[in-house]
Amino acid sequence: MHHKPAPNLDFLSGGGEMGALMRSHDWAASPLGQPERWPQSLRTVVSLMLTSKFPMFVAWGPHLAFLYNDGYRPIFGAKHPHALGLPFREVWSEIWPDIEPLVTKALAGEATFHEDLHLVMERNGYPEDTWYTFSYSPVRDETGGIGGMFCACTETTGEVKLRATLRAEQERLRELFRKAPGFMAMLGGRDHVFELANDAYLQLVGHRRDIIGKPVRDVLPEVAGQGFFELLDKVYATGEPFVGRNLRVGLQRHPGSPVEDRFVDLVYQPITDRNGNVTGIFSEGYDVTERVQAEESVRESEARFRNLADNAPVMVWVTEPDGACSYLSRSWYEFTGQSPENGLGFGWLDAVHPDDSAWSGETFRSANARQAPFQLEYRLRRADGTYRWAIDTAAPRIGEDGTFLGYVGSVLDITERKEIEERLRTSAAEFQTVTNAAPALVWVGSEDGRILYMNERWHEFTGQTTEEALGYGWVSAMHPEDAARILPYWQHCRETGEIYEGEVRYRRRDGEYRWHAFRAMPHLDPEGAIAKWFGVSVDIHERKEWEEHRELLINELNHRVKNTLTIVQSMAAQSLRQLSEESRPKLQAFEDRLFALARAHDVLTRENWEGAELREIIDEVVEPYLRQKTKHLDIEGPRLRLIPRTALAIAMAIHELATNAAKYGALSVPSGCVHITWTVEPGDVPRLVLQWQERDGPRVTAPTRRGFGTRLIERSLAQDIGGDVRLTYAPTGVVCVMNVPLTETGATAELPSAH
């Protein structure tokens, strides 16, 4: 039960929820004060507002305290009910910049009316677009001044959005009409006046654009006498539509140009009012000129097809939907000796070998029932009575409407191909026989690394089945440590086309890993791209073990040789310890020669005494001088590998030259420099020409006698390896040229290196 107001508060009677809320509201904190002291003018407008069902509010006093009725309450949203009595500016702070000028006018005594005014409100905690139709009216108090303002409003958001939607839909329909692929026009009245015409219609009639509001006879005078105006009159008079296909119409599509023939599919649909009376005609259709021309082209194409098929090197045939052959090219009759009378229909099967005829016919009928492509290989009787292998390929003919029209197919003599395939099968069988007989593991891989074939030796060795080995399954038989090294290398070779070779361990079926040497070469297709890889792997486990054993023996031999050299050095030192100081240099020279020989031995040992690089030998011998920052040596020449005997001889020669240069020559002063260069002279017996040249050292004079070092150089090069030496004591520096035959070595020239 609502609390009944005091007699002097009757103006708050009723009013629904807002009336009750105003009666119970604590007005002490409101700028309006208690309702008992409200002026009569405010009481009157509040009473009017509360008893109205129309959305209304009153803003009163200097602060424009806000009062509203039940009709206005939904507009407030979440602002209700705490907005009651608050200042207008605070209640609608988000729209205040928009409505303040209107409020100002009302407080100045000017009433305003606004229809569908757009306001962005935050009445539910978020901004939303709203539209309102309302009026702001000034309200005068007992003094005659403006005490506040009164608003009657209604929210039109729904209507505004609906109208926008309708406008958009109408615009969309207009756009669809305008952009429709078929031509459309709306003609009104007996004179068939253009009311609407879309782009396709304007494109059809050409240069005429300003046709709305004009009769069709005025717009298209060249159409007179072609029967179209008469058809329009008949449809308007009878109310019966007209439908026409492939109608020829002459149109002048460009100003001053001759009439151009176009073809149209056309519908004239009468438009009636509520009483069934015809008021206009809707014209709709398609410009099918291209289709008509295409159909004519098809007829011409069919004629060309028959001419082409009759003269083609293959036999061509065409069937109807029921499978009956309706066309056989001339080449069929020439090949088989049949005539159209006994070849058409299903008579063509009579030319097929008796053993192939039944199943070929059944395959054809089954494909025809499924309307599916098919391919057959059968033996076909030639006119001379011999049978030849032929391939028969066909595809269904489908009409524009998706209807199955039958087949078009071709028959080609493939006897030679069959013979080649048979030879290839024989060759493949022979390849497998040879690879299976080989004691090696033989395999074939694709360009992407997948293994396509492994011979029986692989399966016997690894225990893998064919399914386990093919593809990339072979990798599981590889030692894990080797897989990490080999697989990237395999990828590299596939990308570059380099020969794939190396050594790898494969797991034997008993679990033991054994070393294999592998080598594979790419096979290129006619375009030069890699088509396949052919590879062989050979068990070299015993050879690897022997090489390891040989390396141990060589290391042991080198160790013993070095020990022997050390013993010789010690014996020499002990035997010659009583030498005078003048003879000490001879002992030191002897020891240096032993050290140089030991260094050369170290290089050969690292190469398993199979040979050594010339550059590496020279670097080892002159290394003690390179450590001295004041010594300068330039070393330059192509890469060259020497046999052990030649390497040792050249090492001792370089040592003697360096020792002499350090004592008396270019390496004895900071400014001196030694240039060591070499080349390889081609010929029946290639020769190494190595030159030692000293520069910027002390002035050189020829010695009065040949020393031991000179004799050592000449003997080691001439007697040991068949070379010769030219030693020149030029004043500017010693020059030594060694000419050594390379009958037992190989040399690979590279870019000159400098040190």
Side-chain angles (χ1 to χ4, degrees):
M1 179 179 294
H2 297 301
H3 176 69
K4 185 177 181 180
N8 60 346
L9 296 181
D10 289 342
F11 69 94
L12 295 179
S13 298
E17 179 184 337
M18 289 308 301
L21 185 60
M22 288 186 184
R23 292 191 294 272
S24 61
H25 187 68
D26 183 7
W27 295 98
S30 172
L32 293 176
Q34 294 298 336
E36 292 86 348
R37 295 192 293 273
W38 290 1
Q40 185 59 44
S41 54
L42 176 58
R43 294 186 179 199
T44 300
V45 73
V46 168
S47 177
L48 172 65
M49 175 187 71
L50 288 178
T51 56
S52 175
K53 299 298 184 182
F54 202 79
M56 297 179 179
F57 72 82
V58 175
W60 194 265
H63 299 288
L64 295 179
F66 210 87
L67 306 171
Y68 55 97
N69 66 355
D70 281 358
Y72 192 85
R73 186 184 61 205
I75 295 175
F76 253 140
K79 294 176 180 284
H80 171 76
H82 63 274
L84 183 63
L86 296 179
F88 195 168
R89 185 189 190 103
E90 181 180 340
V91 169
W92 288 116
S93 58
E94 68 272 19
I95 62 173
W96 185 251
D98 298 318
I99 63 175
E100 183 182 15
L102 310 181
V103 173
T104 300
K105 287 184 178 181
L107 296 179
E110 180 182 350
T112 59
F113 174 79
H114 304 278
E115 187 173 8
D116 296 331
L117 181 67
H118 176 239
L119 296 172
V120 181
M121 291 182 167
E122 296 183 11
R123 52 189 180 178
N124 293 302
Y126 55 88
E128 56 181 309
D129 291 315
T130 63
W131 285 265
Y132 291 91
T133 295
F134 62 93
S135 64
Y136 280 177
S137 302
V139 179
R140 298 185 180 277
D141 58 15
E142 283 70 15
T143 66
I146 306 299
M149 58 169 285
F150 170 77
C151 174
C153 66
T154 182
E155 183 172 0
T156 60
T157 301
E159 292 83 348
V160 170
K161 290 184 176 180
L162 178 59
R163 288 196 298 270
T165 301
L166 290 175
R167 284 194 300 272
E169 181 64 19
Q170 291 171 352
E171 182 60 30
R172 188 178 72 85
L173 292 175
R174 282 194 294 269
E175 187 68 14
L176 288 175
F177 176 84
R178 189 171 68 86
K179 295 295 186 182
F183 61 79
M184 299 180 185
M186 190 77 72
L187 306 176
R190 293 184 178 277
D191 293 332
H192 317 301
V193 176
F194 283 99
E195 297 179 352
L196 291 172
N198 70 346
D199 291 351
Y201 192 94
L202 296 176
Q203 182 179 5
L204 174 66
V205 299
H207 62 92
R208 288 154 285 211
R209 289 291 181 267
D210 185 19
I211 67 175
I212 304 302
K214 297 179 181 180
V216 66
R217 284 179 168 84
D218 294 345
V219 172
L220 303 171
E222 72 273 21
V223 178
Q226 300 183 36
F228 291 94
F229 297 155
E230 292 77 9
L231 287 173
L232 286 171
D233 293 340
K234 182 178 179 180
V235 170
Y236 192 90
T238 64
E240 296 178 358
F242 168 80
V243 178
R245 286 177 55 83
N246 296 348
L247 301 178
R248 185 193 301 268
V249 56
L251 293 170
Q252 186 186 52
R253 307 185 72 204
H254 303 284
S257 66
V259 172
E260 173 186 346
D261 282 342
R262 305 295 293 178
F263 294 86
V264 295
D265 287 348
L266 179 65
V267 175
Y268 285 158
Q269 182 67 42
I271 301 172
T272 60
D273 58 18
R274 294 180 180 179
N275 299 321
N277 298 318
V278 177
T279 60
I281 296 175
F282 178 69
S283 173
E284 184 268 339
Y286 290 89
D287 184 344
V288 296
T289 305
E290 286 73 18
R291 188 190 74 192
V292 172
Q293 293 172 345
E295 290 172 351
E296 180 62 28
S297 297
V298 168
R299 286 190 290 271
E300 295 178 1
S301 177
E302 287 178 351
R304 289 195 298 270
F305 165 77
R306 289 179 178 271
N307 182 59
L308 177 64
D310 284 341
N311 294 280
V314 298
M315 296 166 269
V316 180
W317 54 268
V318 178
T319 65
E320 298 302 314
D322 62 356
C325 185
S326 59
Y327 171 78
L328 285 166
S329 66
R330 185 170 58 205
S331 52
W332 171 274
Y333 300 123
E334 292 174 350
F335 184 92
T336 64
Q338 286 187 322
S339 65
E341 290 73 22
N342 54 31
L344 296 179
F346 290 92
W348 61 273
L349 282 168
D350 295 336
V352 178
H353 193 285
D355 293 342
D356 300 336
S357 178
W359 67 263
S360 295
E362 181 59 33
T363 301
F364 167 72
R365 289 183 174 87
S366 175
N368 192 78
R370 293 180 285 107
Q371 302 177 9
F374 69 88
Q375 180 173 294
L376 297 173
E377 291 185 11
Y378 51 70
R379 287 163 290 179
L380 187 64
R381 187 184 62 246
R382 200 164 56 182
D384 61 4
T386 60
Y387 283 95
R388 305 276 293 179
W389 277 102
I391 184 170
D392 195 340
T393 304
R397 294 184 295 128
I398 306 298
E400 292 183 359
D401 57 356
T403 303
F404 174 64
L405 304 177
Y407 283 100
V408 60
S410 63
V411 180
L412 179 66
D413 187 335
I414 59 168
T415 303
E416 285 75 16
R417 194 198 77 183
K418 281 285 191 179
E419 293 172 350
I420 293 173
E421 290 175 350
E422 182 60 30
R423 289 197 295 270
L424 288 175
R425 282 192 292 271
T426 301
S427 177
E430 292 173 349
F431 171 77
Q432 290 191 1
T433 300
V434 171
T435 57
N436 287 331
L441 311 180
V442 182
W443 52 270
V444 179
S446 65
E447 77 285 354
D448 62 359
R450 293 179 297 106
I451 297 302
L452 306 174
Y453 168 77
M454 289 284 195
N455 71 341
E456 292 179 359
R457 300 289 81 75
W458 173 272
H459 303 299
E460 292 173 358
F461 180 84
T462 64
Q464 285 187 325
T465 64
T466 301
E467 293 74 17
E468 292 171 338
L470 296 186
Y472 295 95
W474 60 278
V475 176
S476 63
M478 189 186 301
H479 195 288
E481 295 177 0
D482 296 344
R485 169 178 55 89
I486 293 296
L487 293 180
Y489 172 55
W490 175 219
Q491 174 71 20
H492 168 77
C493 291
R494 296 201 314 271
E495 294 173 352
T496 62
E498 298 175 10
I499 293 176
Y500 171 60
E501 59 184 342
E503 296 179 355
V504 66
R505 287 167 289 180
Y506 287 127
R507 184 182 64 248
R508 198 164 60 184
R509 65 191 310 140
D510 61 3
E512 178 186 356
Y513 284 96
R514 292 184 63 82
W515 280 100
H516 285 72
F518 62 84
R519 180 179 174 86
M521 298 185 66
H523 174 70
L524 306 182
D525 62 19
E527 286 73 33
I530 296 176
K532 290 182 180 179
W533 288 82
F534 291 86
V536 176
S537 297
V538 180
D539 191 323
I540 59 168
H541 199 74
E542 285 73 17
R543 191 194 79 185
K544 291 285 288 187
E545 291 180 338
W546 179 84
E547 289 176 349
E548 292 176 0
H549 181 64
R550 184 186 67 172
E551 185 175 351
L552 289 174
L553 290 177
I554 290 175
N555 290 336
E556 178 63 22
L557 176 61
N558 183 61
H559 177 69
R560 295 192 179 192
V561 169
K562 294 185 70 173
N563 285 345
T564 300
L565 292 176
T566 302
I567 292 172
V568 171
Q569 179 187 4
S570 177
M571 291 173 62
Q574 290 294 326
S575 300
L576 302 175
R577 68 178 181 274
Q578 300 300 329
L579 290 177
S580 61
E581 289 300 324
E582 293 80 7
S583 299
R584 284 290 174 186
K586 296 180 179 179
L587 175 60
Q588 183 63 46
F590 178 70
E591 290 180 342
D592 290 343
R593 291 185 181 104
L594 290 178
F595 281 131
L597 185 60
R599 283 179 171 274
H601 272 255
D602 287 339
V603 174
L604 289 166
T605 299
R606 288 198 298 269
E607 299 291 335
N608 292 325
W609 280 82
E610 293 178 353
E613 290 289 334
L614 175 57
R615 175 58 184 263
E616 193 173 359
I617 288 291
I618 295 175
D619 284 345
E620 284 288 342
V621 174
V622 303
E623 193 274 337
Y625 305 100
L626 293 175
R627 289 196 302 246
Q628 303 177 36
K629 302 300 183 182
T630 58
K631 308 303 182 185
H632 302 286
L633 290 98
D634 291 334
I635 305 172
E636 183 176 359
R639 182 176 178 180
L640 184 65
R641 190 169 181 81
L642 305 175
I643 62 174
R645 186 170 70 236
T646 303
L648 289 174
I650 291 178
M652 296 308 298
I654 294 295
H655 167 74
E656 293 301 327
L657 291 169
T659 300
N660 186 71
K663 290 181 179 180
Y664 314 111
L667 298 182
S668 65
V669 295
S671 62
C673 179
V674 175
H675 296 271
I676 305 174
T677 60
W678 66 90
T679 60
V680 177
E681 294 182 348
D684 294 338
V685 179
R687 301 185 72 86
L688 165 67
V689 179
L690 187 149
Q691 178 175 284
W692 170 288
Q693 184 174 8
E694 300 180 23
R695 296 177 183 172
D696 302 327
R699 183 174 180 79
V700 176
T701 58
T704 57
R705 62 183 182 84
R706 295 170 68 248
F708 177 76
T710 302
R711 295 195 301 274
L712 176 62
I713 293 173
E714 293 174 343
R715 185 187 66 187
S716 62
L717 291 175
Q719 296 181 7
D720 293 348
I721 60 176
D724 60 72
V725 180
R726 296 196 310 274
L727 193 59
T728 304
Y729 294 96
T732 56
V734 173
V735 178
C736 179
V737 179
M738 309 175 201
N739 193 305
V740 180
L742 300 175
T743 55
E744 301 180 66
T745 65
T748 303
E750 293 185 345
L751 293 174
S753 58
H755 183 75

